[in-house]
Amino acid sequence: MSTSVPAPFDFASLPFEEKLDRFAKVAVHVGLNLQAGQELLISASIEMLPLVRRITEHAYKAGALLVTTFYGDDETVLARYKYAQDASFDHAAQWMADGIAAAFKSGAARLALAGSNPALLAGQDPAKVSRANIAGSKANKPAMELITRHAINWSILAAATPAWAKLVFPGLEEKEAVAKLWDAIFIASRATSEDPVAAWKAHSKHLHERVAYLNAKRFHSLRFHSADGETDLTVGLADDHLWAGGGGEAGNGVFCNANIPTEECFTTPHKDRVNGKVKASKPLSHQGTLIENIQCVFEGGKIVSARATAGEDVLNRLISTDEGARRLGEVALVPHSSPIAQSGVLFWNTLFDENAASHIALGQAYATCLKEGEHMDEAALAALGANSSLIHVDWMIGSGQMDVDGLAADGSSEPLMRKGEWV
């Protein structure tokens, strides 16, 4: 009597529609862990409609009470910059921002789909782009505070779009570039295994073990120093800081994975204890502009010098958003062996590129990365060193040539990473 051995699971051979359906399940059951009776708010580009439809289907199958999607469109965004009156750029739809904040307060989950054209606004007036970003940030601050406090289950993942795909793979025809970008997204998002939910549980367990190690050490600061000498930065850590990474339980009791993909362990720096020089290891795509070769000098926690070989004007407008925009709200450690780094793909998208390298973030700190931080007001958080700002922008500083040491309060040091890898 012979027995047949099941063929190994072959994600690559699946029809695209089935791949997309499996990815939608990852969004609902891994990213959000959507609960029966919850409302869901989705933000997406109209080019992402096929994925949104599948996510909506799986959300209702999971028991969603109502799914509402806010769609964006590149052409209508550009129309504003071409034809709107000047006052438009200091205005935001406050009524909509208030409604979104109200939905979050009432328990709605939030899903954002990334993937719009990273260079959309590259040819527009940087002053208008900056003004529009500030107006939008002010309007959305109440909603974003609930996100940074991790009060609800939320998640961000990506969808391939033609403009983005052509930027990532400029040598390919559009159709081939889109297909290749989708494959890269599926792989980076761990959607290619036979059981993605189990794969994500195992990945979160690994990250949680690393987080537990870092929390037990209680380092006073981290020192980043690169082999080429371009980076020598000491990042003080906030008092009572907590490291985080992998999935976590939101304030509403739901375990979710906020970023898909994720490879980072991150915490809150002390806003006044960052000193030294740092050079970005990857370009930053910010609000439609590509900022390349960022170099900054920090003194007493604050950027005192900022340069870039491309997009420098946008960079300087960004760090002038408010007082907190020149200070750090996050520091994260990512090994150079990250699957995203090893793919060799520059995604021009922070959701992916931040998981290819250790990074820092300008602006708002995460309250959940402080002991009892989610229960503190802004003054109490600031007293521990947490930064406050309208922005939160990550940029990459790690590489295969970066060493990282953990420094104790007495100045003694311990190696954490050598040549971009955990010791």
Side-chain angles (χ1 to χ4, degrees):
M1 180 177 177
S2 62
T3 58
S4 60
V5 178
F9 179 72
D10 183 10
F11 180 88
S13 68
L14 297 177
F16 176 74
E17 291 301 317
E18 190 171 340
K19 292 178 180 178
L20 200 65
D21 191 71
R22 289 172 61 86
F23 190 49
K25 290 179 182 178
V26 170
V28 172
H29 297 289
V30 175
L32 292 171
N33 189 16
L34 193 69
Q35 302 295 293
Q38 265 196 304
E39 284 194 53
L40 172 59
L41 270 60
I42 303 174
S43 60
S45 162
I46 58 172
E47 296 171 300
M48 303 170 185
L49 186 57
L51 177 59
V52 172
R53 286 174 172 167
R54 290 188 175 269
I55 289 172
T56 301
E57 176 185 328
H58 286 293
Y60 281 125
K61 287 179 178 179
L65 181 65
L66 182 66
V67 180
T68 303
T69 302
F70 298 91
Y71 288 101
D73 170 54
D74 286 353
E75 289 303 313
T76 54
V77 171
L78 285 175
R80 181 187 189 189
Y81 285 90
K82 291 178 180 178
Y83 308 117
Q85 59 179 289
D86 187 69
S88 171
F89 301 99
D90 297 312
H91 185 76
Q94 188 66 59
W95 57 269
M96 185 168 70
D98 291 344
I100 291 172
F104 292 166
K105 288 177 182 176
S106 68
R110 177 242 196 179
L111 179 66
L113 298 185
S116 296
N117 181 359
L120 179 66
L121 302 179
Q124 304 306 312
D125 182 352
K128 289 182 177 180
V129 174
S130 176
R131 288 163 58 197
N133 290 340
I134 291 172
S137 294
K138 287 179 178 177
N140 287 293
K141 188 173 183 180
M144 286 307 300
E145 284 180 343
L146 294 170
I147 297 298
T148 58
R149 289 178 180 271
H150 206 35
I152 60 169
N153 49 322
W154 62 276
S155 189
I156 302 176
L157 68 162
T161 59
W164 180 26
K166 283 294 291 177
L167 183 64
V168 177
F169 302 110
L172 302 180
E173 294 297 323
E174 183 179 286
K175 185 176 180 180
E176 186 180 356
V178 170
K180 191 166 183 177
L181 181 55
W182 268 122
D183 285 341
I185 291 171
F186 292 146
I187 293 169
S189 303
R190 300 176 187 270
T192 58
S193 64
E194 188 169 7
D195 186 349
V197 175
W200 271 93
K201 285 182 178 178
H203 182 49
S204 279
K205 181 176 182 292
H206 173 73
L207 288 174
H208 291 164
E209 290 170 352
R210 181 66 63 182
V211 163
Y213 171 82
L214 291 167
N215 278 328
K217 287 295 182 180
R218 308 308 309 159
F219 291 119
H220 181 267
S221 57
L222 303 177
R223 182 188 172 213
F224 294 83
H225 44 111
S226 60
D228 61 9
E230 296 280 8
T231 293
D232 191 349
L233 185 72
T234 299
V235 179
L237 302 181
D239 302 337
D240 293 338
H241 68 274
L242 291 173
W243 287 88
E249 185 175 299
N252 60 1
V254 179
F255 186 96
C256 63
N257 285 277
N259 285 359
I260 291 181
T262 184
E263 304 289 338
E264 64 178 338
C265 296
F266 63 96
T267 192
T268 296
H270 195 292
K271 61 185 179 64
D272 302 322
R273 300 178 189 162
V274 181
N275 294 281
K277 60 181 180 177
V278 60
K279 182 178 181 180
S281 55
K282 293 179 180 291
L284 167 64
S285 172
H286 177 69
Q287 299 291 342
T289 297
L290 302 176
I291 309 174
E292 301 185 58
N293 298 308
I294 298 172
Q295 289 184 277
C296 291
V297 176
F298 285 81
E299 292 180 5
K302 185 177 181 179
I303 292 177
V304 295
S305 171
R307 294 184 292 139
T309 57
E312 184 173 304
D313 184 51
V314 174
L315 172 63
N316 280 296
R317 289 181 184 276
L318 173 66
I319 63 177
S320 299
T321 302
D322 55 26
E323 167 60 25
R326 289 180 177 269
R327 300 177 185 272
L328 297 186
E330 178 188 344
V331 60
L333 299 178
V334 178
H336 187 59
S337 56
S338 151
I340 299 170
Q342 294 307 302
S343 74
V345 175
L346 176 62
F347 284 89
W348 299 96
N349 182 299
T350 300
L351 177 64
F352 290 83
D353 292 334
E354 74 169 0
N355 288 297
S358 295
H359 54 273
I360 51 181
L362 299 170
Q364 181 66 36
Y366 289 113
T368 49
C369 286
L370 292 163
K371 293 179 182 178
E372 301 297 323
E374 61 270 28
H375 305 301
M376 296 180 184
D377 61 20
E378 195 168 294
L381 292 169
L384 294 175
N387 193 35
S388 177
S389 176
L390 292 171
I391 69 166
H392 181 94
V393 179
D394 300 83
W395 48 289
M396 282 47 75
I397 65 172
S399 71
Q401 300 302 312
M402 182 68 73
D403 292 343
V404 184
D405 294 306
L407 308 181
D410 64 5
S412 60
S413 67
E414 177 179 331
L416 283 178
M417 286 182 159
R418 288 293 178 263
K419 295 186 176 180
E421 297 300 331
W422 292 107
V423 173

